[in-house]
């Protein structure tokens, strides 16, 4: 998940789905509820320590933190995105392609309305990944909404939260507020993130519990749409924000030459597919045992 957050157009939620921990991830976020908050105020240390899914969250956060350091300091992934984008995106294209196949297997006996849910997810995802930046107000109420929408997008597979902020023209604004410690911006943004996380994760968990089949089909459609921006060969439009390039537009193209780069890109794509199948097979065996 940490490495995915470094790749423009890829979200941590996508990787959580690929790795088979998506529902656990949502449940862990949801475990910080009003009962846990109450235990904090009444100094009920037993409930405070035991109610949240710390056994899941702590290793997850350590892994994300390790990946962020490793793939920026040891293996500079952001640099390789600039110098060898075909190889990096080839790997992630393979990861997502294989995860779509696995999701397809989770639903048996496809019916007409199932296709409609996939189509709805596809249309929704395609609209999101093809949005163009638009002017928005800098008022506190909109900063609050921006935080809520960005964190909700980050949780949903196939959509990048930072991409949504760029589209809403709030990425640079919020980043500048962090650098300047502008709490007039940071407080409503943080409150929006907390609100979005609390509400959206609960909606997603409820939907997965009550309409699992339909939600999986909808998410599958979003993932299929995300392939539009993950395809290794693209005319990508970036903007530079504080020395970092951020993706704001992308249009798939065909390779111009049958060269070594294409060969390596396809090899990375195959590696991505194999990785997902191996991880999924291991997970199924552990679940069965």
């Amino acid at each position: 998940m940490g490495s995915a957050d470094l790749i423009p157009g890829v979200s941590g939620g996508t990787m959580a789905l690929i790795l088979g921990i998506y529902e656990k991830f949502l449940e862990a976020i949801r475990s910080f509820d009003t009962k846990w908050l109450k235990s904090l105020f009444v100094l009920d240390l037993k409930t405070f320590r035991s109610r949240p899914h710390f056994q899941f969250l702590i290793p997850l956060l350590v892994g994300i933190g390790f990946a962020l350091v490793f793939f920026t300091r040891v293996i500079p992934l952001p640099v390789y995105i600039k110098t060898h984008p075909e190889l990096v995106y080839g790997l992630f294209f393979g990861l997502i392609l294989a995860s779509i196949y696995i999701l397809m297997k989770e639903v048996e006996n496809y019916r007409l309305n199932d296709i409609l849910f996939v189509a709805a997810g596809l249309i929704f995802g395609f609209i999101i990944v093809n949005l163009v930046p638009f002017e928005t107000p800098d008022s506190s109420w909109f900063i609050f909404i921006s935080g809520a929408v960005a964190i909700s997008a980050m949780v949903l597979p196939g959509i990048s939260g930072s991409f949504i902020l760029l589209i809403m023209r709030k990425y640079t604004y919020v980043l500048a507020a962090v650098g300047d410690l502008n709490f007039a911006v940071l407080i409503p943004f943080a409150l929006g993130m907390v609100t979005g996380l609390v509400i959206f994760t609960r909606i997603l968990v409820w939907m997965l519990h009550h309409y699992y089949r339909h939600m999986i089909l909808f998410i599958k459609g979003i993932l299929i749409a995300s392939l539009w921006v993950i395809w290794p060969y693209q005319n990508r439009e970036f903007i530079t924000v504080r020395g970092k390039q951020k993706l704001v537009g992308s249009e798939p193209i065909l390779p111009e030459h049958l060269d070594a780069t294409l060969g390596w890109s396809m090899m990375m794509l195959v590696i991505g597919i194999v990785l997902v199948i191996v991880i999924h097979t291991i997970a199924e065996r552990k679940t069965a045992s």
Side-chain angles (χ1 to χ4, degrees), residues 22-246:
Y22 186 63
E23 289 183 67
K24 278 188 177 181
F25 175 60
L26 294 178
E27 289 284 5
I29 296 173
R30 200 180 68 152
S31 66
F32 293 91
D33 54 12
T34 53
K35 189 172 182 180
W36 175 80
L37 199 60
K38 184 179 177 181
S39 71
L40 176 63
F41 287 108
V42 299
L43 300 179
D44 180 0
L45 297 181
K46 183 179 179 181
T47 303
F48 178 78
R49 290 195 306 266
S50 61
R51 188 164 184 81
H53 299 179
F54 285 126
Q55 288 184 330
F56 173 82
L57 283 172
I58 291 174
L60 180 70
L61 293 174
V62 170
I64 290 173
F66 174 79
L68 290 172
V69 173
F70 183 81
F71 286 111
T72 52
R73 302 293 182 182
V74 182
I75 299 177
L77 205 55
V79 175
Y80 290 143
I81 291 171
K82 297 177 186 175
T83 58
H84 300 86
E86 297 85 1
L87 275 64
V88 176
Y89 279 100
L91 175 65
F92 280 89
F93 191 91
L95 292 172
I96 295 174
L97 196 64
S99 68
I100 292 169
Y101 169 73
I102 289 170
L103 282 176
M104 288 177 67
K105 288 174 62 180
E106 288 195 18
V107 178
E108 298 178 353
N109 303 320
Y110 279 82
R111 302 184 293 267
L112 178 60
N113 64 331
D114 292 335
I115 305 301
L116 294 177
F117 277 98
V118 176
L122 179 62
I123 293 169
F124 175 78
F126 191 77
I127 290 172
I128 295 296
V129 299
N130 284 282
L131 286 174
V132 295
F134 56 92
E135 293 298 330
T136 55
D138 294 335
S139 306
S140 295
W141 67 268
F142 193 82
I143 300 300
F144 176 89
I145 291 174
S146 299
V149 172
I151 198 68
S152 299
M154 195 174 293
V155 170
L156 193 64
I159 302 173
S160 167
S162 59
F163 174 75
I164 294 298
L165 279 180
L166 285 166
I167 294 301
M168 300 173 77
R169 293 196 185 276
K170 287 293 167 280
Y171 189 90
T172 307
Y173 188 73
V174 172
L175 209 62
V178 173
D180 299 335
L181 292 179
N182 185 352
F183 293 104
V185 174
L186 295 178
I187 290 175
F189 186 77
L191 289 174
M193 288 181 67
V194 172
T195 303
L197 202 59
V198 168
I199 294 174
F200 193 65
T201 51
R202 278 159 174 74
I203 292 173
L204 274 179
V205 169
W206 187 88
M207 293 289 287
L208 285 167
H209 283 173
H210 292 83
Y211 303 99
Y212 182 82
R213 182 187 184 97
H214 295 151
M215 279 301 296
I216 289 296
L217 291 166
F218 185 79
I219 289 172
K220 187 201 306 181
I222 296 176
L223 285 180
I224 294 171
S226 73
L227 293 175
W228 178 266
V229 294
I230 307 300
W231 172 248
Y233 288 85
Q234 301 266 350
N235 283 326
R236 294 185 175 93
E237 181 185 351
F238 293 90
I239 62 170
T240 302
V241 181
R242 297 204 166 196
K244 296 180 180 179
Q245 286 194 322
K246 295 295 178 180

